[in-house]
Structures are given as C-alpha cells and as structure tokens.
Amino acid sequence: MLGVFSSSIVSPPGELVAAGSRTPSPKTTSDALIKRFLETNPSAVSVEIGDHVQLAYTHHNESPLHPRSFAAKDEIFCLFEGMLENLGRLRQQYGLAKTANEVTLVIEAYKALRDRAPYPPDHVVGHLDGDFAFMVFDKSTDTLFVASDQFGKVPLYWGITADGYVAFADNAELLKGACGKSIASFPQGCFYSTAIGEIRSFENPKGKVTAIPASDEEMWGATFKVEGPSVFASTE
C-alpha cells in the first residue's frame, strides 16, 4: 500500500529532510512514485483525493494474515493492512454490523476521536489488538492519521520524494527508489497525526519519540525511537 501527501497536508520530518541533504541520493517525484507502483503491481488501484493526496494499493502478493483493504465514508479515506484479533468486541463498542471489517472499524474509531474531543488518540489506537498498519485521511479537515502496531508486524516506512511529498508505504524498496536517503522505518507502537503535528507512542504515551540520524553507510536517514520503558495504553 502507498500513500503520498503534499507538504500542504504533511510537513516533512526535519530529520529526513536533513538526511537527504547530508547524503544526496537519486530521487523521483511523487507522480513518478505512484506511476511505478501502478506499473509494477498487477491490478493496483489508485485513488486521487483533491490535488494533494493519492492513495494506492493492490492485493498482489499480499499475506493471507495481513490482507490489504480500502474504504471511504463521509470524506474519510482509509488504507489498512493486517488483521485485528478483537474485531468482534470492537464492532460492538462502535455499534457496527457483524459484517464490518477492519478498515471500516478504523474509520469509525477515527470519527470517534475527531468528534468526541478531548478523546485521547493513544486510547483509540491502543484498543486495537492485532497486527496492523493504516493511513486515514480526512478530506473535510485535511487531517492525516497514520499508525503501526506495537510489535511492528506489518512493515511501514516513510520518506520524502524529490518534490517534497511525504510518502508512506509497506515496501521499503519502493520508497528507496523514490526518496533516496530521506527514508525511515515508521516506529512501531506509534501514531502520527497532523492534527497534533508529531509522532507519539500509544504503547508508552509518556515516552518522547526521538529521531537518531543514521550514518552515511546506512540505508535509513534516521531511526525513530521511543524513550522510556514500554507501557501499553489502557484497553479498558
């Protein structure tokens, strides 16, 4: 799965900008990245949302344990990869039908977060039990919400394209070809919200997320780590 967002939606992480400047590597534009994804993945689907966002996914070569899915509702768009072990209980919690799948559930969870302020975002993601990575884009507020499970079972990476777009993908090789050294693994047990403007840990809500610049020999531009001991967010 792939999500590409202009700088008007997402401010590129300073650590990745610095990495790309420190060790210049070949980069391509966001349009070229999307085109490459569509050309190299059979039956890929791409959705353009306004002038600043594009989402794409494919079922090609997906894991049976980590299927990819897409849904849109009330101008909220979501790409989800993985599986939730407590989906049944969460359906009841959010008042959803028994046929509701993970991607639908995440949209409803995001709406609860958005509409029931000050509902803690770490609780929203902390209630999700399973292997997952997802991107939610709310067109009505131009808000992006991205998260990865606490064990990093579903890979997620982010980087900066040649034209300054921030791209998220489950394929590191795809981003390496487009983002050069301006690439990093998205930290597990964390979420990123443009409404908050930073990465936070839902596994350890009080732990600060810091970026450690990588050496020139490494493929990553930086490594994002959570300071302090791991403390899971309440699931009650």
Side-chain angles (χ1 to χ4, degrees), residues 77-135:
F77 302 80
C78 181
L79 274 176
F80 183 96
E81 183 171 346
M83 194 172 291
L84 297 178
E85 297 175 6
N86 61 339
L87 179 59
R89 182 173 64 80
L90 291 173
R91 284 179 183 137
Q92 294 180 333
Q93 178 180 330
Y94 289 100
L96 300 176
K98 292 182 179 180
T99 55
N101 60 5
E102 281 87 350
V103 69
T104 303
L105 184 281
V106 167
I107 288 177
E108 293 301 325
Y110 168 79
K111 288 175 66 177
L113 167 64
R114 183 192 64 183
D115 300 338
R116 300 178 194 173
Y119 200 52
D122 54 275
H123 283 202
V124 173
V125 192
H127 287 157
L128 306 180
D129 183 11
D131 304 342
F132 62 85
F134 65 79
M135 301 170 232

Side-chain angles (χ1 to χ4, degrees), residues 2-152:
L2 172 65
V4 180
F5 307 86
S6 79
S7 57
S8 66
I9 304 296
V10 183
S11 297
E15 295 84 1
L16 297 187
V17 173
S21 301
R22 186 180 68 247
T23 309
S25 299
K27 291 185 176 185
T28 59
T29 65
S30 54
D31 286 343
L33 173 59
I34 291 288
K35 182 179 179 181
R36 179 185 172 198
F37 180 88
L38 296 176
E39 289 178 346
T40 57
N41 289 284
S43 303
V45 177
S46 174
V47 179
E48 190 170 349
I49 308 167
D51 297 326
H52 305 288
V53 176
Q54 197 155 350
L55 305 176
Y57 73 102
T58 179
H59 294 300
H60 180 64
N61 285 339
E62 72 179 8
S63 165
L65 299 177
H66 299 151
R68 305 182 188 104
S69 52
F70 169 80
K73 181 181 180 181
D74 299 332
E75 293 196 306
I76 301 172
F77 302 80
C78 181
L79 274 176
F80 183 96
E81 183 171 346
M83 194 172 291
L84 297 178
E85 297 175 6
N86 61 339
L87 179 59
R89 182 173 64 80
L90 291 173
R91 284 179 183 137
Q92 294 180 333
Q93 178 180 330
Y94 289 100
L96 300 176
K98 292 182 179 180
T99 55
N101 60 5
E102 281 87 350
V103 69
T104 303
L105 184 281
V106 167
I107 288 177
E108 293 301 325
Y110 168 79
K111 288 175 66 177
L113 167 64
R114 183 192 64 183
D115 300 338
R116 300 178 194 173
Y119 200 52
D122 54 275
H123 283 202
V124 173
V125 192
H127 287 157
L128 306 180
D129 183 11
D131 304 342
F132 62 85
F134 65 79
M135 301 170 232
V136 173
F137 178 67
D138 185 348
K139 188 176 185 296
S140 66
T141 59
D142 280 345
T143 299
L144 174 66
F145 192 95
V146 180
S148 173
D149 73 70
Q150 57 262 47
F151 301 111

